Amino acid sequence: MSEERRLEVLRAIVQDYVATSEPVGSKALLERHQLGVSAATVRGDMAALEDEGLISAPHTSAGRIPTDAGYRLFVDRLSTVKPLSRAEKSAIQTFLAQSVDLDDVVDRSTRLLASLTNQVAVMQYPSVTSASVRHVELVPMAGNRLLVVLILSTGRVEQRVVPVPSDLSDEIDLLAQLRTRVNEAVVGRRRTEAVSAINDLAAPLAEQLPQADQGMLGQILAEVTSALQILGDERVVMAGRANLAKSATDVRTLAPVLEALEQHVILLKLLGHLEGDGDNLVMVRIGAENDVADLQSTSVISTTYQTGGLGVVGPTRMDYPATMAAVRAVARYVSEILE
């Protein structure tokens, strides 16, 4: 029973410190929380928590603040993450549903997550490593040019303009045939498989075309292949840097944190693959649990969506239940939109 009570005292200290940013004393705990015990008992519990390294006394203050280990135990003992209200869910869904393309989805998602959590939001573009080809479109343009449009299963779109030797207005049937054959070869295949399929398609398809059209065929297939190969780059978007600056007093040294967040490789590492199963898995890394030394005064809360990752970076003094709920909710709606 005493262990459960100490955990309740720890939970109260975390909640009060997150809300006020002031060290929490036994008197404040008794005034704000219905602990049902005496002041002496609370002081004893706080002494035990301090001995266990879960809270500490900053400087000469009579109050206590959670340590990284205290935050860790608090997060691990969360039985449930408080869900967002119906109004909050509706607002998220409506805002993200107004996106016009993949870039807009990513931009809106990071800005929304930064606004909901008051932290730095980071989002990885849908990974194309496991993406498959959804469609290839060939659109004739004026001035002897052809627009090649490649659409992946993640929603990512790559467009290329190809100069061709002749007016395509007389080649509509040829383009339709070529479009059909290319889509038959690549739709549903992953990028590397699609490249191989196009290479295999080139020779037999060229044999079926007049020699005058074979050069154009080679140009078009080369552009599709090039687009598939270049799509391997991973991209990360960030929003809400100003939120971290507002929390500068909670971060030991702000400059190294901001510098770390500017490094592409570090951001990708933060959003690395989460171990475990389930769409709602949220990873929380607190303080020294972060592999990057410059981020060990922060906490990182992240999750996955479809084929990418998103999350937030902020001081260890953060509202963990609310932040975890926001990260999970935005990820779920992003997945629904992209699907």
Side-chain angles (χ1 to χ4, degrees), residues 82-95 116 325 329 332-333:
K82 181 182 177 181
L84 300 182
S85 68
R86 181 174 299 179
E88 289 172 323
K89 292 179 180 179
S90 177
I92 292 173
Q93 188 174 28
T94 300
F95 182 70
L116 287 172
R332 182 170 64 249
Y333 286 117

Side-chain angles (χ1 to χ4, degrees), residues 191-304:
R191 293 183 307 113
T192 53
E193 298 171 343
V195 170
S196 299
I198 289 177
N199 291 334
D200 294 339
L201 176 67
L205 191 56
E207 293 176 357
Q208 302 173 20
L209 299 178
Q211 187 171 1
D213 295 328
Q214 291 180 7
M216 180 176 68
L217 170 67
Q219 287 178 287
I220 294 172
L221 295 182
E223 288 296 336
V224 175
T225 300
S226 175
L228 285 166
Q229 292 171 332
I230 203 172
L231 281 173
D233 295 337
E234 300 287 2
R235 298 169 59 191
V236 180
V237 173
M238 183 166 46
R241 293 177 183 85
N243 289 330
L244 190 60
K246 295 174 185 176
S247 305
T249 55
D250 295 310
V251 180
R252 288 192 292 270
T253 48
L254 184 59
V257 174
L258 292 173
E259 290 175 5
L261 292 177
E262 293 297 331
Q263 298 183 43
H264 191 83
V265 174
I266 289 178
L267 294 181
L268 286 173
K269 190 174 183 179
L270 292 180
L271 301 176
H273 178 69
L274 299 179
E275 297 180 358
D277 299 319
D279 296 334
N280 293 329
L281 179 66
V282 177
M283 175 179 285
V284 181
R285 282 165 288 185
I286 302 170
E289 294 173 355
N290 289 301
D291 295 332
V292 181
D294 289 338
L295 295 179
Q296 290 186 350
S297 62
T298 69
S299 287
V300 178
I301 297 180
S302 59
T303 190
T304 57

Side-chain angles (χ1 to χ4, degrees), residues 5-6 9 25-27 29-30 35 37-51 55 62 64:
R5 190 182 63 243
R6 284 199 298 272
V9 171
S26 58
K27 181 179 179 181
L29 288 177
L30 290 169
L35 297 176
V37 294
S38 67
T41 300
V42 171
R43 285 194 294 270
D45 288 338
M46 292 178 70
L49 291 170
E50 188 168 7
D51 290 341
I55 60 175
R64 300 294 185 269

Side-chain angles (χ1 to χ4, degrees), residues 85-122:
S85 68
R86 181 174 299 179
E88 289 172 323
K89 292 179 180 179
S90 177
I92 292 173
Q93 188 174 28
T94 300
F95 182 70
L96 295 182
Q98 294 171 352
S99 305
V100 296
D101 55 24
L102 180 59
D103 290 334
D104 198 23
V105 170
V106 174
D107 177 66
R108 284 173 177 265
S109 297
T110 51
R111 288 191 289 116
L112 176 64
L113 191 54
S115 175
L116 287 172
T117 63
N118 292 314
Q119 312 294 353
V120 179
V122 183

